[in-house]
Each structure stands twice: as C-alpha cells, then as structure tokens.
Amino acid sequence: MSSNLAGRYVRTQTSSIIATTVFFLVVALVLTGLVAHVVITMTRSANEIDDARASRAARAAMGAFVGRLSGTTTDNAIWDDAYSAVSSPAAADWAYENWGKTSEDYALYDGAIVIGPDRSSIVSAYAKGKPFQPSAFFGQGFYQQINVAADPGRAPVINFIKTESGIALIASQAIQPFEATAELPKLSTLSFYKEFTSEVIDTLSNEHELEGLRLETTPKPDFLNTPITDMKGAVIGYLVWPSKAPGSAVFHQVYPYIAAAIVILALFLIGVLLVGASEARRLRQLAQTAIFEADHDSLSGLLNRHGLLNLLEGLGNSATSPHRLYLVDLDGFKAVNDAWGHAVGDDLIRLVSKALTACHPEIIATARLGGDEFALAHVGSATCGEMEKTILALFAEPFKIDGRTIEVGASIGAAGRNGDVPPLELLRRADMALYRAKANGRGQAIEYDPELDRERQRVAELEGQLKNAISSGAIEAVFQPLVSASTGAVTGLEALARWRTATGNISPEIFIPLAERCGLIDALGVHMLRTSIEHAKSWPDLALSVNVSPIQLCNPEFAAEVISVLQELDFNPNRLTLEITEGVLMTNPDQARRSIDQLKRVGIKFALDDFGCGYASIGALRQFGFDRMKIDRSLVSALDEGANGADVLRATISLATALRIPVTAEGIETARQAAILRDAGCDQLQGYLMGKPMSAYDISSRLEEESVA
Ligand code: C2E
Ligand code: MG
Ligand code: MG
C-alpha cells in the first residue's frame, strides 16, 4: 500500500471509530439523562402528593379540634337551665358548679368564663378549676371576641388566641334558651378555651397520622408549615411537621441499585472510550508501520525505490538544491549467497547498508533498490570523483561476518540533476551509467553522459537490424579450412557468421554478443547451423565445425533442435563438431552438461574454443567431456613476442595430449608458428596461413584445385 493510501485509509477508519465512540457516548448519556429525569420526577411527584395529603390532614386536624370545642360550647350555651341560672343571683355558683369546677381536669376544655350581659363583668372565670383573670391571660382580644359572640342566635365565635403560656383555641357564645319564646334581653356569654399544648398536638398527630407535628413560632425551612392565625388574621404560630417524602424514601431504597447502575454505565462508557482510543491508537500505529514499510526496505531498513523517488521528488530540481544520485551494485554478491547461504548474504547486505549510509557526511539518504543494488543521494560540495572514490574505498577491505572474510566489489553509476529532471529520469540515467560501469568490468564508476543514451539508441537500432538480418537470411556463413598438421590436407571447415550491410561489414565480435544480450542468439544459431550444413553437403568428405554460444547450450530445447535440423537435412552427426567458448557454461553447468551429453550420444563432437584466453580451463575440458581443444589465437601470436610463449604452448598441448584430447591451433599466420605447433603436438592447424575464412563458392574452388593437384 502506498504511504498516501495508508494515510487516507487510517484517517477514514479513525474518524469512523471516533464517530462511533462519540455516537455511543451521546446515546448512553441521553438515555442516562432520560432515566435520571424519570426517577427525579417520580420522586418529586410522590413527595408532592404526600405533602399535599399531609397538609390536608393538618387542616383536618385543626378543623376537628375547632369543631370539638365549638360543639362543646354550643351544647353548654344553648341550655335552658344555664340561661335561667346565669340571670339569677346564684349565677357565679351555678357557673362554678357546672363549668368552673369541671375545667380542673376535663378533656374538652381547660377553662370556662362567663361574662355578664354588660359584656365586661366577669361572672365566673376558672382555668383548670381555679379562678383566673381572662384579660390578663388572653389580653384585649378576649373582649373583642365577647363583643361579637354576645348576640343571641349566633353560632359560637371561635378563634385561636395568644395566651400568657402559648396558644389557645377559644370559643364564645351567648348563653340562651334552647328555644326563645320572646325577644331576649342582653345576654351573658359563655367562653371555653382549650390550650394548644403538646399533648393536644400529640393527640392530633396520632389521630391524623402527622408524625412529628409540633407548634413553632416561626416557619421551619425543609418542613411542612401551616400558619395559625388569630381573629384579626395575624399569624401567631405555625403547625410544623416533617415531610414524609415517600418518593425520597423509595429513592433512598433503590439508590444503591441506581448507584451501581451508574457505576456500571460509567465503567462501560470508560471501557467504550478506552477501546475506541486503543483502536484508534492501534490503527495509527498500523498506518505508521504501513507508511514506513511502503517507503522502506525490510531487510536493510533503508529507503526502497518508492521511498527514494519520494525523497528525490521532495528535493526538487537542481536549481534549488543541486544533488547527485549514485547507484552502487555489488560485484560478486551472488557468489557470496551461493557459497555461504542467504543468511550470510543478508548480513552482508546489512553491513554494506550501514557502511554506505555512514561513508560520507554529505550523503543525505541511502536506499536499497534490489538484491544487491543501492542508491545514495548526495547534496554538498564533494565532487563526483571524490564520492566515487569514497564509496569504492568501502569495498577495498573485506567484510567480516561471523569469522568469515568476505570480499565483494562494487560498480557505481552516477547522475547529477541538471535542469528540471524528474526523479524517474534521474534514476534511469544513474542506471544507464551503472550498466556501462558493469559492462566495463568490476570496480568501475561511470558518470552519466548523454552519449550513453545515444549509444543505447544505436544498440537498439542495431538490434532491430540484426533481427531483420536473421529473419531475411542476410547473415551468411563463410568457411575457414581446418588442415591436418601432418599432411597439410584440408580435413574440415569451420563455419563463421558474416553480416554484410549496405554501410559495411559488422564483425561477429560485435553482433554475436549483441544477439546473446537481446535474445536473438537461438535464432541466429539455428540459422547458421542450417546454412552451414546445407553448404557442407557439397563437401561430403570434410568435417564441419559450427560455433555455438554457451547461452544456446543452456536452452533445454537446444539439443532436440540440433538433432531435428540434422535429420531434416539428412546430415551425418559424426561430421559435426560444435565449438563452444567456456564463458557462461559455468552459470548453468547442469543444463549445459545435459545438452552436451544428449548431442554426444547421437555422434556430435564438441570442441572447447579459445583455450588459453579468458575462462577456458582444463577443468572444463574434463567436466564436459570435450573431444577437442582449440588453442586461442592469442597464445599462437605470443610465439612471436617472447621466448616463453613456446613453452606455454607446449605445456598446454602436453596437458591436452595427456588427457588424450587432440588439439587444434587457431590463428596461424606464419610457417614458423605452424612448425612449432606441429612439433608441439597439434594435429590440426587453422589460420590465415592455411586459408582465410571464405565463401562456400571459394571453398569449393579450392577443394577442386587441391584434388586436381
Ligand atoms: P572463433 O570461433 O575462435 O573463430 C576464429 C576467429 O579467428 C574468426 O574470427 C576468424 O576469422 C579468426 N581467424 C582465423 N584465423 C586467423 C588468423 O590467422 N589471424 C587472425 N587475425 N584471425 C584469424 P571471426 O570470424 O571474426 O569470428 C570471431 C568469433 O565470433 C569466433 O571466434 C566465434 O567465437 C564467434 N563466431 C563467429 N561466427 C559465429 C557463429 O556462427 N556462432 C557463434 N556462436 N559464434 C560465432
Ligand atoms: Mg570457433
Ligand atoms: Mg577461437
């Protein structure tokens, strides 16, 4: 996943997690709020309903208290005996006997007062069975009530009144006959009072289920209060009792469960928050890892190709910050992997990564682009040459891994950013330079030059032309005689490819490697084999040698293809020798071996070409079972250069002879060379002296001449 994609993915995921968590929290809080509202409303309503009931009960209690005293007063005031008695001289005694005495210990009243018709003289006044002074006890309010109550026919006047000791309820009514027969004179008044004592209040409290009812002079906050007013409407006290608050009681009963539910909900919400937060954190970390991995190589921890391109993009063009890119490719890394295994190869990559990163302070970034290919971005004043020297110096010393000493080299391709070069183009240029550095040999450093592009262009064009030449049959075969060292007679012919173009001939030294690189060698090889055999059928007594690229041998279909050409053209396999330079045989020795064995079984012979130059070795001679060895032209021409040239040649030929492998010497140009080689033991000679490569027509003419001679 690219870093941008990873970032966008995580942002979306994180916002959806945050949105889900917030949604969850909001829903939970709204539900909690609703439930809390319901519980509070129910609690308050239950309290209010009970408070209203209690207030009604308090009023009823007062009403009952008033009603009782009022009834008692009426029963005694409207009484024929009392009416006649209070207007007699024995009124005081009568009043005492019937009412004053009773007041000593009577539940219905605490005192009885009889006021004469003048509404001021006291006929009789007893409190708790003892005489007392009403005006002192009740104050002036008493006479005001008498004034109102003295009229006959009235219901008793009843009021709460402030007394010396507290509050009392006093009821007054004119003393009158049960039924008046005539108009009544001015009447005496009977008053009963009942003190509002704590016992009275307790009784009311019990009767009306008003727990905690008491009398107070001021209202009590947080309690239920009912005011008590006197006849003028002034508040003289308060009945006070605590609210039962049944809602609150129920609330307190269920409170532990509510508290537990709140705690559980809170824990749940905290859990949701924590899970949300940890999920968001996990996603952020995942994204950071993904972003890092998208830009970095897991083995070395360096930037990868994507990361490098991002970095180059960020650096901008060279006008703002001139910089240079170095591509470093290890030489011989594959051999390290093959020899020591991939674990050691990985360790080497890590070591090289560290070394490259730290090799120069002006290196701003290091990347690993492939198996053994690295890139360094350089910003600073060091020249390209200095940097290349610094990098190559890292590989001058072997690397030490677990006691092993491992040597690898490096090739460097460099490219600077001049003008507005896109990162990909900069990378391509450095790659082009690296390709050239590797082609030039190991341990080279090449800086990009536009000429490299032009050359690449030329090669590409040449590839196209070669392809056409092969398919149109423009590649021809010429033949060079192979001569018997003893008789000088032509015993065989080596076919050599020729490419003649309108602008001149192109050497096989150029087009054969080109065909190998661009995958045309198989087609070219089959074409040459077919052409050579077609010509060779005219020379039935001669052997035919055809050059084969080792790359062809590594193709699993090669052997079958050769055999099918031979069968098709009806050519005797015993006449055919395939010449191979060892070169890349060793890269896939198993397949090469299989092809060689298969072809040898049908009678085809193999010659190891160019022995003595490059890689050709005695080891290869034995390993692949070659039937002949061809000594390279360079060894033959060395005969003219110094004394030990002949010794080297002789030693080489003796080695082959010891292995019973016949030897051909190539590139013989002088009779002296021919003589030395013949003496040394070569049984076959080849070279301009014996005959240059020539057309089939020329070969036929020469053979004719020889047969005539
Ligand atoms: P080679 O197979 O070793 O061929 C011998 C080369 O030496 C030929 O060069 C030949 O012209 C040259 N030569 C022979 N005698 C003398 C001499 O006395 N003096 C000098 N200076 N040169 C001499 P040529 O034809 O240019 O071929 C070069 C190489 O190209 C061949 O070396 C062979 O490896 C390869 N080649 C040529 N044709 C083919 C082909 O059809 N297929 C493949 N795979 N390779 C081919
Ligand atoms: Mg050859
Ligand atoms: Mg050769």
Side-chain angles (χ1 to χ4, degrees), residues 494 547 579 609 630 666:
E494 177 178 358
N547 290 288
E579 295 189 9
D609 208 352
K630 292 186 78 175
E666 315 180 283

Side-chain angles (χ1 to χ4, degrees), residues 115-409:
I115 300 294
D118 59 358
R119 302 186 180 179
S120 59
S121 60
I122 298 168
V123 178
S124 165
Y126 285 87
K128 295 281 177 192
K130 300 218 165 37
F132 83 116
Q133 191 48 250
S135 57
F137 188 68
F138 295 117
Q140 281 311 304
F142 172 73
Y143 286 103
Q144 286 169 7
Q145 171 153 328
I146 297 300
N147 259 335
V148 178
D151 294 337
R154 277 193 70 116
V157 177
I158 186 158
N159 283 302
F160 285 100
I161 191 162
K162 211 156 169 62
T163 69
E164 273 179 345
S165 53
I167 291 174
L169 182 66
I170 182 162
S172 308
Q173 196 169 17
I175 301 169
Q176 51 200 293
F178 195 75
E179 270 181 25
T181 49
E183 195 176 328
L184 295 171
K186 282 196 169 179
L187 298 173
S188 298
T189 316
L190 171 64
S191 298
F192 287 146
Y193 77 90
K194 180 77 184 167
E195 281 192 87
F196 215 28
T197 60
S198 53
E199 289 82 31
V200 173
I201 289 171
D202 284 348
T203 310
L204 289 179
S205 163
N206 290 336
E207 284 173 2
H208 296 274
E209 291 180 23
L210 291 166
E211 255 171 65
L213 188 69
R214 63 183 193 271
L215 192 62
E216 295 282 353
T217 49
T218 51
K220 291 280 160 223
D222 300 330
F223 279 72
L224 296 172
N225 299 277
T226 293
I228 299 169
T229 48
D230 64 8
M231 64 186 296
K232 288 181 187 158
V235 177
I236 52 174
Y238 291 88
L239 269 181
V240 169
W241 70 103
S243 169
K244 268 190 179 170
S248 302
V250 171
F251 178 78
H252 281 113
Q253 261 180 14
V254 297
Y255 180 73
Y257 301 100
I258 293 176
I262 288 171
V263 169
I264 290 169
L265 183 69
L267 289 177
F268 175 69
L269 292 183
I270 290 170
V272 168
L273 265 179
L274 289 179
V275 168
S278 102
E279 194 56 19
R281 202 176 321 116
R282 192 181 67 82
L283 265 174
R284 238 192 335 272
Q285 279 166 355
L286 266 181
Q288 277 162 0
T289 315
I291 288 167
F292 184 84
E293 281 173 358
D295 280 354
H296 288 79
D297 166 54
S298 58
L299 174 61
S300 61
L302 302 180
L303 291 176
N304 58 17
R305 192 183 161 81
H306 183 259
L308 177 73
L309 289 173
N310 276 350
L311 177 105
L312 294 175
E313 193 74 60
L315 280 175
N317 63 39
S318 61
T320 47
S321 62
H323 52 273
R324 189 174 270 115
L325 185 69
Y326 299 88
L327 290 191
V328 180
D329 192 280
L330 302 189
D331 297 327
F333 177 69
K334 188 179 176 307
V336 173
N337 261 344
D338 291 346
W340 305 107
H342 287 272
V344 174
D346 287 355
D347 285 347
L348 180 64
I349 290 295
R350 285 190 205 98
L351 275 183
V352 170
S353 304
K354 269 194 198 145
L356 285 173
T357 308
C359 77
H360 197 283
E362 290 177 0
I363 298 288
I364 58 156
T366 318
R368 178 170 173 243
L369 305 184
D372 61 353
E373 191 173 316
F374 297 87
L376 307 179
H378 166 224
V379 178
S381 55
T383 64
C384 186
E386 284 165 7
M387 290 304 299
E388 288 170 352
K389 229 164 118 184
T390 310
I391 297 168
L392 287 176
L394 294 177
F395 300 92
E397 293 293 317
F399 290 87
K400 301 267 184 208
I401 297 174
D402 297 336
R404 301 180 184 94
T405 303
I406 295 176
E407 276 191 72
V408 280

